[in-house]
Amino acid sequence: MEAEKCIGKRVLDWLRRDPVLAASCAAALLSTLFVPPSRAYLSYLDLRVLCLLSSLMVTVAGLKKAGAFAFLMGRILKVVHNTRTLSAALIGVCFFTSMLVTNDVALITFVPLTILMLAQRQRLMAFVIVLQTVAANLGSMLTPLGNPQNLYLYGRFNLSAGRFLSIMALPTAISLLLLCLALLWIRPEAVVAPVEAMPACPKAVLPWAGLFCVCLLAVLHVLPYGLALAVVVLAAAVLDRPILRSVDYSLLLTFAFFFLLIGNIKSIPAVSQGLSTLLNGRELTAGILLSQVISNVPAAMLLAGFTENYEPLLLGVNIGGLGTLIASMASVISYKLYAAQESARPGRYLALFTGINLLFLGVLWAAAALL
């Protein structure tokens, strides 16, 4: 009895730490009241998305532990001369690396470095971290690898890599231009000589780089996704078994719960038809607005089940990552990293975050509507 209580407490604590997981679990359980459990539930799961997401999370964790990202940032910092170029490097590396290693990984990796480099410039630090967050959310929208909603929609609508890039290239270019303009607000002042690049051991990085290529081939439909997952898991078990524990299993469970919820909703004819009619022609707006309250990953998964008009939906849930703090869960990561400092001013950060995000959101929403 005590053991059962202990397990129950751990589960509850886990759900409290991840409100999106808790909400998806509750919604999925509620949906079973209307659609009783059956073998059909298994068909709701998108195994391709779950396998690719697992493979990428393991591989990126391996690259990070091997020192690949620290080495990259160190090399970039060697060429900075003032606060503006330093800020450009810190923001730019989030923008470009997020295209391949996801927005949350980019922020987890590089925001702590910003806190270290700008410890004596608190006002500038908050501004740069906000722009890093915006950069990671916008840079990641260019590729299917950039964030979970892209990976899901890429597979859900069976898009080619070329088609995906053609949709997202112009909004990404506009985003980069806006970030460059934002840098003009930073006064160029002399900075202390940047830290030396941390050495990266090629022998440690090379195997993980090879596994990343395996993941990329699976994303591009060259390799079967099941084979890619098997190769990555087996290689990780040999190279560094603890890496397997670093996988965000709560994200995988969240996806599974949403697959279950969406499958059950689609099984209720009246609800499914109503949502399809309501969404028709409003995918861009629906994607942006729904992302503000439930974040863009679940918004993409929910809305994709009721429309085939993928282009405005893809734009909506990516641009919708801007706005509120919970519009993209990656934004919560950078906020927590900033707020953990003793000298942090969370209220000022949130005000700055909201103002900058709404400005970027307004410009990109207008641009997407024109597209």
Side-chain angles (χ1 to χ4, degrees):
M1 193 69 176
E2 290 296 325
E4 291 178 357
K5 287 182 179 180
C6 184
I7 293 173
K9 185 177 183 302
R10 288 181 180 179
V11 171
L12 288 174
D13 288 342
W14 187 30
L15 291 173
R16 288 193 193 100
R17 289 196 300 269
D18 194 334
V20 176
L21 172 63
S24 65
C25 177
L29 290 175
L30 181 62
S31 72
T32 63
L33 299 177
F34 302 92
V35 182
S38 67
R39 289 185 179 181
Y41 276 28
L42 295 176
S43 65
Y44 297 163
L45 300 177
D46 192 327
L47 293 180
R48 174 179 171 79
V49 169
L50 294 175
C51 287
L52 288 177
L53 197 56
S54 302
S55 303
L56 284 166
M57 286 193 291
V58 171
T59 304
V60 169
L63 284 169
K64 181 180 179 181
K65 191 171 181 179
F69 302 138
F71 175 76
L72 171 65
M73 191 70 244
R75 297 291 294 181
I76 291 173
L77 290 177
K78 288 184 72 174
V79 302
V80 305
H81 304 292
N82 57 52
T83 50
R84 182 179 290 171
T85 55
L86 173 60
S87 300
L90 293 167
I91 294 164
V93 75
C94 286
F95 183 82
F96 290 106
T97 59
S98 67
M99 297 176 183
L100 296 177
V101 301
T102 74
N103 50 355
D104 53 348
V105 171
L107 292 171
I108 290 171
T109 304
F110 299 118
V111 167
L113 186 60
T114 301
I115 293 171
L116 176 65
M117 295 293 292
L118 300 176
Q120 304 304 316
R121 301 172 185 269
Q122 285 293 318
R123 293 179 65 86
L124 178 59
M125 181 200 295
F127 185 67
V128 171
I129 292 176
V130 168
L131 288 183
Q132 280 183 305
T133 306
V134 171
N137 284 329
L138 294 178
S140 64
M141 71 180 175
L142 179 64
T143 68
L145 303 173
N147 50 55
Q149 74 266 16
N150 279 2
L151 193 62
Y152 173 70
L153 294 175
Y154 176 79
R156 164 68 177 80
F157 294 108
N158 197 27
L159 301 177
S160 67
R163 177 58 181 152
F164 192 99
L165 291 173
S166 69
I167 295 171
M168 304 309 299
L170 185 54
T172 305
I174 296 172
S175 301
L176 181 58
L177 176 61
L178 291 174
L179 287 167
C180 290
L181 291 174
L183 286 170
L184 297 178
W185 287 93
I186 299 174
R187 182 182 301 173
E189 300 174 347
V191 294
V192 177
V195 295
E196 291 294 324
M198 293 180 63
C201 177
K203 289 184 179 180
V205 173
L206 193 59
W208 295 107
L211 291 174
F212 184 80
C213 291
V214 169
C215 295
L216 183 59
L217 290 174
V219 170
L220 296 175
H221 303 281
V222 176
L223 291 178
Y225 59 84
L227 175 61
L229 177 61
V231 169
V232 168
V233 171
L234 289 174
V238 173
L239 293 168
D240 189 349
R241 185 169 295 181
I243 286 289
L244 295 173
R245 293 198 295 269
S246 67
V247 173
D248 187 356
Y249 292 104
S250 64
L251 179 61
L252 297 176
L253 270 177
T254 300
F255 266 71
F257 286 137
F258 270 108
F259 285 140
L260 176 61
L261 172 64
I262 294 163
N264 283 341
I265 289 176
K266 292 179 71 174
S267 298
I268 305 173
V271 176
S272 178
Q273 182 61 39
L275 284 173
S276 298
T277 302
L278 183 65
L279 188 60
N280 185 36
R282 305 179 183 89
E283 291 84 358
L284 175 66
T285 300
I288 291 173
L289 295 181
L290 189 59
S291 295
Q292 303 306 305
V293 292
I294 67 171
S295 87
N296 53 2
V297 175
M301 297 178 66
L302 179 61
L303 297 177
F306 304 99
T307 182
E308 293 301 316
N309 197 10
Y310 60 81
E311 184 170 345
L313 178 60
L314 185 59
L315 290 169
V317 295
N318 275 281
I319 296 171
L322 302 172
T324 65
L325 186 66
I326 64 168
S328 168
M329 295 313 294
S331 300
V332 178
I333 292 172
S334 55
Y335 169 73
K336 287 182 177 179
L337 290 171
Y338 169 80
Q341 303 174 87
E342 290 185 6
S343 56
R345 298 177 60 186
R348 181 181 179 278
Y349 178 92
L350 287 174
L352 187 63
F353 175 91
T354 304
I356 291 175
N357 269 260
L358 289 177
L359 180 60
F360 273 73
L361 177 60
V363 174
L364 288 170
W365 191 346
L370 292 174
L371 293 175

